[in-house]
């Protein structure tokens, strides 16, 4: 094999390795409005949503290739723990501290509870006796999560949660201040999101698996996220999807 051919092969191999080092596999939670597939026109079967657009912006700003895969919430933790995926965007939670590194803070929203107008929530104690729906394995607030006196009904996703609430099978629903108002508005019941009981402020972070082979990308990811956040990109993105702003005056849970 001649020297020019060997040099060409070496160059191709080096280029391939370099491209691989710049490519991360990203796990996105498959639920509206975070990450979902469009259903109409040119957007049909096209990934869209808050974290889809955030991922695209971070990719552009960092120069990295961030390949998104939409997955159910329950699979994301397992895949990050095993190193099957490199990156995700989820709330910062102590139960993931041992297997992810927190790369950058994207935005802040809230953990909330919404109830029927006939059952107003002015304080945490008003939750007593209510049939409250929530997503299985979700963490909303330590007091709420550990409160065995509350009547909690666990379901698999936010769509089911909201449908059960609107069908009268639940007195209240608990979750984040993005998904619940978005889905209620989509179903023509936006007014039901006007007076939530706020359990706590919640931060969403980019999280890299500690078993990822792409840890070298952390500085580029962090710099891109910090720049976008300081420019107000993430807040603008959230508002386009109808998220309740984190600084809005709401009922306090008095915890």
């Amino acid at each position: 094999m001649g020297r020019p051919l060997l040099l060409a092969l070496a160059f191709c191999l080096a280029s391939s390795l370099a491209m691989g080092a710049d490519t991360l596999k990203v796990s996105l939670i498959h639920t509206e409005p975070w990450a979902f597939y469009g259903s109409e026109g040119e957007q049909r079967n096209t990934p869209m949503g808050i974290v889809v657009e955030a991922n695209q912006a971070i990719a552009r700003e960092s120069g990295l290739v961030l390949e998104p895969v939409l997955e159910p919430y329950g699979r994301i933790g397992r895949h990050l723990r095993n190193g099957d995926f490199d990156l995700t965007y989820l709330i910062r939670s102590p139960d993931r501290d041992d297997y992810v590194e927190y790369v950058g803070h994207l935005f802040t929203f809230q953990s909330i509870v919404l109830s029927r107008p006939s059952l107003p929530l002015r304080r945490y104690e008003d939750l007593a006796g209510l049939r409250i729906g929530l997503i299985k394995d979700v963490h909303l607030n330590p007091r709420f999560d550990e409160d065995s006196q509350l009547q909690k009904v666990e379901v698999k996703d936010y769509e089911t949660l909201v449908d059960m609430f609107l069908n009268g099978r639940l007195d209240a629903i608990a979750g984040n201040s993005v998904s619940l108002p978005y889905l209620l508005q989509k179903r023509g019941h936006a007014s039901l999101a006007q007076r939530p009981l706020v359990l706590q402020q919640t931060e969403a972070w980019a999280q890299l698996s500690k078993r990822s082979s792409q840890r070298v990308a952390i500085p580029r990811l962090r710099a891109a996220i910090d720049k976008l956040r300081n420019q107000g990109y993430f807040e603008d993105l959230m508002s386009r999807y109808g998220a309740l702003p984190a600084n809005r005056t709401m009922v306090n849970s008095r915890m």
Side-chain angles (χ1 to χ4, degrees), residues 5-249:
L5 182 57
L6 285 173
L7 289 174
L9 288 174
F11 177 78
C12 290
L13 178 60
S15 298
S16 176
L17 291 173
M19 288 179 63
D22 287 346
T23 301
L24 288 79
K25 192 175 182 182
V26 185
S27 179
L28 303 180
I29 181 172
H30 188 184
T31 188
E32 295 187 52
W34 300 104
F36 57 99
Y37 294 102
S39 59
E40 298 179 359
E42 295 181 356
Q43 295 181 325
R44 185 174 181 82
N45 298 325
T46 299
M48 55 195 306
I50 294 172
V51 291
V52 172
E53 293 191 38
N55 187 64
Q56 292 169 345
I58 294 168
R60 288 193 301 269
E61 192 63 44
S62 67
L64 297 165
V65 178
L66 304 180
E67 298 180 345
V69 176
L70 277 57
E71 293 197 296
Y73 175 78
R75 294 181 188 173
I76 294 178
R78 182 172 70 252
H79 285 162
L80 289 172
R81 187 186 296 275
N82 296 336
D84 300 328
F85 282 78
D86 300 297
L87 185 68
T88 193
Y89 310 107
L90 290 174
I91 65 170
R92 184 163 187 159
S93 178
D95 64 347
R96 282 190 290 273
D97 288 352
D98 63 334
Y99 62 88
V100 302
E101 181 164 351
Y102 296 99
V103 176
H105 172 214
L106 277 67
F107 45 78
T108 300
F109 54 99
Q110 294 142 337
S111 296
I112 63 174
V113 185
L114 297 172
S115 65
R116 302 188 176 287
S118 60
L119 300 168
L121 300 176
R122 298 184 178 88
R123 56 181 184 166
Y124 183 88
E125 287 72 19
D126 292 336
L127 298 174
L130 301 185
R131 185 174 169 84
I132 308 167
L134 70 160
I135 304 301
K136 180 177 174 60
D137 297 327
V138 73
H139 299 284
L140 299 176
N141 168 271
R143 180 181 180 183
F144 180 85
D145 297 341
E146 299 167 11
D147 193 340
S148 60
Q149 300 302 309
L150 296 178
Q151 299 180 39
K152 301 176 188 175
V153 179
E154 294 186 336
V155 302
K156 63 178 182 177
D157 54 47
Y158 274 105
E159 288 80 4
T160 301
L161 188 66
V162 169
D163 288 341
M164 289 177 65
F165 180 58
L166 294 177
N167 291 335
R169 296 168 62 188
L170 298 170
D171 300 314
I173 47 178
N176 67 68
S177 62
V178 181
S179 297
L180 295 181
Y182 174 89
L183 291 170
L184 286 169
Q185 180 177 359
K186 185 177 179 180
R187 287 157 172 75
H189 295 274
S191 62
L192 293 177
Q194 294 304 308
R195 296 289 296 173
L197 177 73
V198 178
L199 296 176
Q200 69 176 22
Q201 302 280 58
T202 303
E203 295 183 350
W205 282 68
Q207 304 173 29
L208 190 80
S209 170
K210 289 184 177 180
R211 300 191 65 175
S212 170
S213 62
Q214 310 295 349
R215 295 176 63 83
V216 66
I218 289 177
R220 292 165 68 181
L221 287 168
R222 185 165 287 148
I225 292 168
D226 288 347
K227 181 177 180 179
L228 290 166
R229 187 182 65 253
N230 291 335
Q231 291 175 342
Y233 171 82
F234 297 120
E235 288 185 2
D236 292 342
L237 174 61
M238 296 275 282
S239 66
R240 286 197 284 108
Y241 282 88
L244 295 177
N247 61 352
R248 180 178 173 179
T249 301

